[in-house]
Amino acid sequence: MNNFERRDLGLAYISDQEIMKEQAKCRKILQKLNFMDRSDYTGIAQVVKELLGDKGAFINPPFYCDYGTNIEVGKNFYANYNCTILDVGKVKIGDNCQLAPNVSIYAAGHPIYPSTRNSLYEYGKPVTIGDNVWIGGNSVICPGVTIGSNVVIGAGSVVTKDIPSWVVAAGNPCKVIKKITEADKRKLFKDEEIDDEAWNDILSRGF
């Protein structure tokens, strides 16, 4: 097998010249994105479309990834400043997901034994994130992790294991803190509730 085939099967592979050529295509798009006028929202959206496809995604530059083609996002995807997605393995993100600043998703890894790692072999393992997920700032999602739907990952978390749906999880390593229930529907910050004017607007728009 060539290294493309090995990489895509999740086997040990080497980033050879052919793979680096594929990455170079992505880097040209990122060069354009990361040096655009930050107030050119329409232009940024067009470049994001070139990178991720037409899903209504928006990314606040700078943004970094390896290929772009291994990232699949649902509707209304939003990533804030300085997001990194190492998409050596498939990274699949559902609808209405929001990434706060400095979120890193790593679908790439290296062997732990020094001489094996120095051989230049590496690997990719898929990361899957469900619908309606908010990942807090400076969080890291590690290779092979699945996060369910309707989840909040607290800021600064390191997610090393799967997280079920409908929970708040946080920490290093990231663990479930609480379930999300109907009692949380009007919560804003800690025990503070959304004010009446805003809440009535939310209800009037069918949320």
Side-chain angles (χ1 to χ4, degrees), residues 24-162:
K25 295 177 184 177
C26 178
R27 292 185 183 199
K28 288 181 179 178
I29 299 173
L30 294 178
Q31 179 77 6
K32 186 164 44 173
L33 175 65
N34 290 336
F35 288 88
M36 293 185 71
D37 180 345
R38 296 295 197 265
S39 66
D40 183 6
Y41 303 122
T42 301
I44 290 171
Q46 285 298 317
V47 179
V48 171
K49 180 179 176 180
E50 182 181 352
L51 186 67
L52 300 180
D54 187 12
K55 292 294 183 91
F58 191 85
I59 294 172
N60 267 329
F63 173 73
Y64 308 97
C65 65
D66 284 326
Y67 303 97
T69 52
N70 279 341
I71 302 171
E72 180 183 331
V73 300
K75 299 174 183 176
N76 304 317
F77 172 75
Y78 175 78
N80 216 327
Y81 307 107
N82 210 39
C83 178
T84 298
I85 300 179
L86 300 185
D87 56 325
V88 171
K90 183 76 171 180
V91 176
K92 185 175 181 181
I93 301 173
D95 294 340
N96 306 309
C97 288
Q98 300 175 335
L99 310 185
N102 301 305
V103 167
S104 297
I105 299 174
Y106 301 147
H110 303 269
I112 61 170
Y113 198 81
S115 62
T116 310
R117 187 167 62 251
N118 293 341
S119 71
L120 300 181
Y121 273 97
E122 55 186 295
Y123 63 86
K125 297 298 178 183
V127 171
T128 303
I129 299 171
D131 297 331
N132 308 309
V133 173
W134 173 26
I135 299 178
N138 292 293
S139 293
V140 175
I141 314 301
C142 292
V145 163
T146 295
I147 296 173
S149 293
N150 308 302
V151 169
V152 175
I153 302 294
S157 296
V158 179
V159 186
T160 60
K161 295 182 179 178
D162 293 354

Side-chain angles (χ1 to χ4, degrees), residues 162-206:
D162 293 354
I163 302 294
S165 297
W166 286 101
V167 298
V168 176
N172 181 7
C174 187
K175 295 180 181 178
V176 173
I177 294 175
K178 59 168 283 185
K179 290 184 177 180
I180 297 173
T181 70
E182 286 289 318
D184 297 302
K185 197 166 187 179
R186 195 168 170 171
K187 291 289 178 62
L188 182 66
F189 177 69
K190 297 184 178 179
D191 291 328
E192 180 184 348
E193 290 194 339
I194 296 169
D195 65 275
D196 289 342
E197 182 180 5
W199 185 243
N200 289 332
D201 177 59
I202 290 168
L203 294 177
S204 72
R205 292 190 289 124

